[in-house]
Amino acid sequence: MTEHLRLLIVDDDEVDRLLVQRLLATTGLPVDVVEATSGSEALEHLKARAFDVILLDFFLPGEDGFGVLRELGSQGSRAPIVVLTGQGSEQTAVELMKAGASDYIAKGRLSAERLEQSLRQAMRLHLAEQRHRALAEALPQIVWTAGPDGRPDYFNRRWYDYTGLPPVPSLEKNASAATLLLREAIHADDVVGCLGKWNESRQTGTPFECEGRIRRHADGAWRWHLIQALPLRNAHGRILQWLGTCTDIDDQKRAAETLSFLAEASTMLTASLEMSVTLERLSALMLPRLGDWCAVYLQDGDGPVLQAMAAHVDPTRVPLLREQHRAFPPSATVSHGVARVLRTGVPELVPELTEDVLLEVLGPQGNDERIRPGSWIIVPLWAQRRVFGALMVCASRSDRRYGARDLELVQELARRAEIAIDNARLFEMAKAEHLGAEQANRAKDEFLAAVSHELRTPLMAMLGWTRMLRTGQLSPQKAARALEAVERNTQVQTQLIEDLLDVSRIITGKMRLEIRPVNPAAFIEAALDSVRHAADAKGVTLCAELPPGSGSIHGDADRLQQMVWNLLSNAIKFTPRGGQVTVRLLWVEGHILIEVQDSGQGIPRAYLGQIFERFWQVDGSSTRKHGGLGLGLAIVRHLTELHGGTIEATSEGEGHGALFRLTLPLSAAASLRGGPPLLQSQARQESPSLAQSVLEGLQVLVVDDEPDALELLAVVLESRGAQVVTASNAREALEKQQLHRPHVIISDIGMPGEDGYSFIRRLRALPLEQGGQTPAIALTAFARMEDRTRALLAGFQMHVPKPIEPAELIIVLASLTGRHPLADERVRGRSA
């Protein structure tokens, strides 16, 4: 020590003061001594100047050494205090050290060496403390100290700058002020735990450590700190001071918590593929950790925004959230909220919501205090590079406002949620497709069973009557009835097959119409004629109200007749004997209205929306009263749509009949004066009257691998004078063509070995003089539109589907060979 030591001796005994002075002189220490005889006098000296060391007699007149220590400390002096006493115990020494003394010397053992040692030790501690405090002030970390009793006595400047709290005078001795300071700086939820651990460390002398949130004055944020303190001890092991620090660990702690939270979220959200379970777990993750209420919104394309999930920390308020969405769904025109996020794919953070924003986004109910948000975060949900939804979380409490850190966390959660939700959506779609496939499979089985039933029923009648006819035991009257039954059931089978083919064309989009101007009354009358026999047989009265009109429609006459025929057949089927079926034609502005009304069993209202579906029937069981495949009305609906019209059904319920309304647009062009004459429905045209010998001298080659069909065709053609040559395969047909050079060829398509397409190509490859251009007709059971096109492209002049009426076959041949020109229009549609 090169500078003079400023020493204050506080002792009422002059002898003892002189003894101390003499001992100091022998130590060689450069000392400036000031004497005081009482504690009050010492305090006066401390007010005037600072001292490096204080020598204090423990027993002063009327004063207790502990009281003097406290008085000296209350003046803010940090000079080390060495206590001198003539009596006392080891316990007294411990208490003195706890009270703030740096050393204790019994007067009976006082010597120059002991005094010098104590003074030098006190000064070393004092200098070390000063250096530590200087260093603490320079550090960017919070540093604090506490006395041996654990009461804080120092906080560095960083503490006050960080917390914004004002310095407290005489902090060392003001226990209540120190405690209040801690309670103001540390989060209320953490104070009790930290003080409990601090008291435990203070009593046991073990290092102190806890985590607590300290409020940062700059932005008001509560940030996590690691609060630590180590005890500083003297040579005897006694605690002289506690040295503490507060380290900001908020970023690390939140990062660790976030990683743990997101890991938990990933596990929970991927644990199930059920949408409801996924959304329920998502809400459990978000509330109350991230907000007071949350919601998930989904949107498919340009469809409406659906609220897939809404949750609140108070479950009784969830209906309010759902009602708010129902009453005021997201609007595409708003500049905030869910709709904007869905539209732009950009997340939205609003730390402080205004009345205007709430009214624009949530409507009047958004201001309901029970669900009113004060701050919100909305992030998009992405899948396949497209926004399919949005996740919204709201804070209602005034003490919670979202920031950038919260947005990052919600975005990370949304990334996990969007995968889980999209997987759940795909799973539900897969379930729906699987269910649809199962339903389609059941429908297919039911349909095949119905087809089998509907085909076998007429087959049984046909087969039974045919075998009875072969026996020759039927009377002429029975034989006539047998032939009628065979013909009737053959027509039933033909209609079933035609319906199936029509449905196939509808499904594949290959239904074609031959559009021409048509008189509505004509095809309605044709349909009435077609069903009149069935109505008479069942005892159902047919009524028609067909007033004359001044317009036409553009359409396919055959298909229009088919539509009305199906409606009439359906009405007759479900009308009991004695009932009535009425068809009306009404002319309205720009349209015609065709009504088919029956007095039958009616349609249950629950089924009105399904009766136009394919293969659907009100009663599809094996005990149903009415047959059929459930195709007629489906075909009617599709043909109506192709003609630009609409079809609807109404019924007052079971037992009250049904009414079908078919609306078709009028053709403006065809209704002009001087337009082309209206064509009658093909079905209404009478078959041309052909002479019995119309095919006289016509040489025909018939090719078919079915012997019965071959024989039937030969008999029909020879009955009209044709000369028929038959072949059962393509090779034989080519040989006979070269041998007989027929005028025309009728060939099947499906034949073993070489089909009809190959046969006609080989024929067309022959030179003209060898019959390479002989007219040919494809007579086949392949009746689809693509089959017709393929046949014509292969080289056939005409495509005729099986079965065909014998009279129509004669007409086709007469037209193709030019033997009856009146039949040209009849068969024109079959040719290329």
Side-chain angles (χ1 to χ4, degrees), residues 65 78 119 125 142 234 244 274 298 388-389 511 568 705 723:
R78 304 197 64 82
L119 291 176
L125 291 175
I142 294 174
N234 63 9
E274 294 289 341
L298 302 179
F388 72 88
M511 178 72 78
L568 290 170
D705 62 315
Q723 299 175 12

Side-chain angles (χ1 to χ4, degrees), residues 270-296:
T270 57
S272 174
L273 288 174
E274 294 289 341
M275 178 67 81
S276 59
V277 175
T278 300
L279 294 176
E280 181 180 352
R281 291 179 176 176
L282 177 60
S283 66
L285 285 166
M286 299 184 71
L287 305 182
R289 178 189 177 96
L290 299 180
D292 298 303
W293 64 268
C294 63
V296 171

